[in-house]
């Protein structure tokens, strides 16, 4: 136990050094998400999650997945999404919202906020690659899954960048099929005209209706079950 704690401590020290600029940026910006992260930590102190859960992290599409537990029957899930966050925020807080849980599977949905705020597909891809490296430094064999950026009507102006980011992540995943997965929710959310299906979205044309989450369930649940059955192999 002591050896494991020391190893995790060393990993976190390396993470702080590697991602120091991101942390400095967060401090300079007033650390918008600190309250949300502290809320997770308070909940964990009150009721510590058991290691080995299937962990979902990311932005509001994860936060709003109210039926997540029932959509993954028989699987212990943990939701650590925080709404409005960028993928860069997930990376920044990984040592607090991912690594401590010793998850059996980590699923990530983020990136569209980054692109809508002017970041590039290459930057989104770079953050995901860095996140994977950080997770695998702590748990070398844990499966990490990218839920593809979804095609929201309100953000169709950055659709090309979304597809580019998804494609780069898919190439990374294809190079490490033992530990990485890619779930495509882009194509199932398009209609015959190649445009996002408006019935899958609430009035803001960004967040999803229950029908949208039903599409996600059909795409995500089989992958979660397969990983659980085969242990990532």
């Amino acid at each position: 136990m002591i050896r494991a704690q020391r190893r995790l401590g060393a990993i976190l020290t390396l993470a702080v050094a590697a991602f120091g600029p991101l942390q400095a940026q967060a401090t300079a910006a007033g650390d918008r998400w600190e309250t949300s992260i502290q809320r997770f930590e308070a909940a964990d102190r009150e009721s510590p999650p058991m290691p080995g859960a299937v962990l979902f992290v990311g932005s509001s599409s994860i936060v709003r997945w109210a039926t997540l537990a029932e959509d993954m029957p028989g699987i212990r899930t943990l939701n650590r999404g925080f709404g409005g966050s960028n993928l860069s925020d997930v990376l920044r807080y990984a040592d607090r919202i991912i690594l401590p849980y010793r998850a059996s599977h980590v699923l990530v949905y983020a990136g569209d906020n980054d692109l809508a705020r002017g970041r590039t597909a290459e930057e989104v891809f770079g953050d995901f690659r860095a996140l994977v490296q950080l997770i695998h430094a702590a748990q070398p064999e844990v499966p990490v899954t990218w839920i593809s950026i979804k095609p929201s009507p309100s953000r169709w102006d950055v659709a090309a960048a979304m597809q580019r980011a998804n494609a780069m992540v898919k190439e990374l995943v294809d190079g490490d099929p033992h530990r990485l997965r890619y779930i495509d929710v882009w194509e199932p959310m398009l209609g015959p005209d190649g445009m996002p299906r408006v019935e899958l979205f609430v009035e803001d044309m960004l967040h999803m209706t229950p029908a949208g989450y039903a599409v996600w369930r059909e795409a995500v649940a089989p992958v979660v079950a397969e990983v659980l059955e085969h242990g990532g192999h």
Side-chain angles (χ1 to χ4, degrees):
M1 174 66 76
I2 293 175
R3 183 178 299 174
Q5 290 173 339
R6 287 175 177 170
R7 182 171 181 269
L8 181 56
I11 290 168
L12 296 182
T13 299
L14 289 173
V16 169
F19 304 110
L22 281 174
Q23 293 172 332
Q25 179 185 357
T27 301
D31 215 349
R32 178 183 178 188
W33 305 116
E34 182 62 28
T35 299
S36 297
I37 304 306
Q38 289 182 0
R39 192 177 299 119
F40 290 145
E41 292 172 332
D44 293 343
R45 286 192 296 271
E46 184 174 335
S47 181
M50 291 178 58
V54 175
L55 175 64
F56 287 76
V57 296
S59 56
S60 56
S61 293
I62 295 297
V63 177
R64 290 168 173 248
W65 198 342
T67 59
L68 177 61
E70 63 191 77
D71 287 344
M72 308 290 150
I75 295 171
R76 187 159 48 89
T77 61
L78 183 62
N79 188 321
R80 285 297 177 262
F82 48 116
S85 58
N86 288 348
L87 180 58
S88 58
D89 299 314
V90 177
L91 173 60
R92 181 182 305 126
Y93 292 113
D95 62 328
R96 297 167 68 184
I97 63 168
I98 298 178
L99 301 188
Y101 298 120
R102 306 296 293 177
S104 60
H105 184 184
V106 180
L107 293 96
V108 181
Y109 180 81
D112 56 351
N113 287 335
D114 305 62
L115 296 170
R117 292 165 181 158
R119 303 189 77 224
T120 67
E122 289 74 18
E123 288 173 317
V124 169
F125 168 70
D127 281 347
F128 180 67
R129 181 172 56 188
L131 181 62
V132 167
Q133 291 170 344
L134 182 60
I135 294 170
H136 283 159
Q139 291 179 262
E141 297 301 315
V142 69
V144 180
T145 293
W146 173 260
I147 301 173
S148 74
I149 300 173
K150 70 184 189 297
S152 303
S154 66
R155 291 182 171 171
W156 197 242
D157 59 322
V158 292
M162 292 175 172
Q163 290 176 293
R164 198 159 60 248
N166 282 336
M168 286 188 285
V169 171
K170 180 66 163 58
E171 185 175 357
L172 178 70
V173 169
D174 289 345
D176 190 357
H178 171 64
R179 301 187 298 175
L180 302 180
R181 300 290 192 282
Y182 179 95
I183 296 176
D184 178 24
V185 297
W186 181 276
E187 289 297 329
M189 297 184 75
L190 298 179
D193 59 356
M195 299 295 291
R197 295 162 53 191
V198 295
E199 72 273 15
L200 302 181
F201 296 88
V202 298
E203 288 183 3
D204 65 7
M205 289 292 119
L206 174 62
H207 299 103
M208 292 184 292
T209 62
Y213 281 107
V215 172
W216 277 37
R217 181 190 66 234
E218 292 302 311
V220 174
V223 175
V224 171
E226 182 268 332
V227 168
L228 184 66
E229 180 180 357
H230 299 291
H233 292 78

